[in-house]
Amino acid sequence: MRLETIRSLIESWEQEHRTPEARIRAFIRSSLPNKESTKIFGCPMGSLCSELNKLVHPAKEEAAEMFSLFRRWLVVQFEALGYHEQADRYSLHLMTQNQGAAVLASTLGDSTIIETQSDAMEVWLTELLGR
């Protein structure tokens, strides 16, 4: 995924979803359409960053920016929900759960891991918001 693609995706979530909660849920669900390719190839972002981290490569920082865009955007969403002090922690929680699901789905050849973890993230968000 290129930076411009991520920016466009985030912009589409901003336009399509009126509330921060709905936008966060869009992030959570974003891995579902690609679950079968993730099962086979892993997460393209995670794989690229992992490989570049092994090298001294000029693209390393730009690749990391892909995750940083999602992180900053999620922080803004959690802050809008009133979780100012916890926003970054909650952002990282969702991102690590998402990436962990991708790694295990690929490693174990089981795309249902992505579905299960996506459902778990949705439940976590519902409980966090007291709904």
Side-chain angles (χ1 to χ4, degrees):
M1 229 180 214
R2 289 152 89 212
L3 292 174
E4 200 51 49
T5 304
I6 294 168
R7 287 185 186 102
S8 294
L9 179 60
I10 288 171
E11 185 177 309
S12 74
W13 292 339
E14 291 283 340
Q15 292 174 1
E16 293 171 27
H17 304 285
R18 294 183 177 202
T19 66
E21 177 184 354
R23 290 183 207 120
I24 293 168
R25 290 186 190 282
F27 170 82
I28 291 170
R29 292 184 199 114
S30 66
S31 60
L32 293 174
N34 301 316
K35 67 183 181 186
E36 292 303 320
S37 64
T38 301
K39 175 182 82 172
I40 297 166
F41 302 110
C43 171
M45 285 176 41
S47 297
L48 175 63
C49 289
S50 291
E51 291 305 315
L52 290 176
N53 284 336
K54 298 173 188 175
L55 308 170
V56 178
H57 195 281
K60 180 179 172 180
E61 287 183 32
E62 185 177 347
E65 181 63 16
M66 293 185 295
F67 282 111
S68 295
L69 283 172
F70 283 123
R71 182 181 184 178
R72 288 191 302 269
W73 180 79
L74 283 166
V75 165
V76 169
Q77 304 314 306
F78 281 111
E79 287 175 342
L81 290 170
Y83 297 100
H84 299 281
E85 291 190 24
Q86 305 96 332
D88 190 54
R89 184 169 49 118
Y90 292 164
S91 170
L92 288 174
H93 172 69
L94 291 181
M95 292 176 65
T96 56
Q97 195 161 355
N98 183 287
Q99 281 301 301
V103 168
L104 288 175
S106 178
T107 301
L108 301 176
D110 183 358
S111 64
T112 64
I113 293 169
I114 294 170
E115 293 173 29
T116 302
Q117 291 308 303
S118 184
D119 290 345
M121 287 184 269
E122 294 245 32
V123 168
W124 173 83
L125 183 60
T126 299
E127 290 174 353
L128 177 71
L129 300 175
R131 292 183 170 66

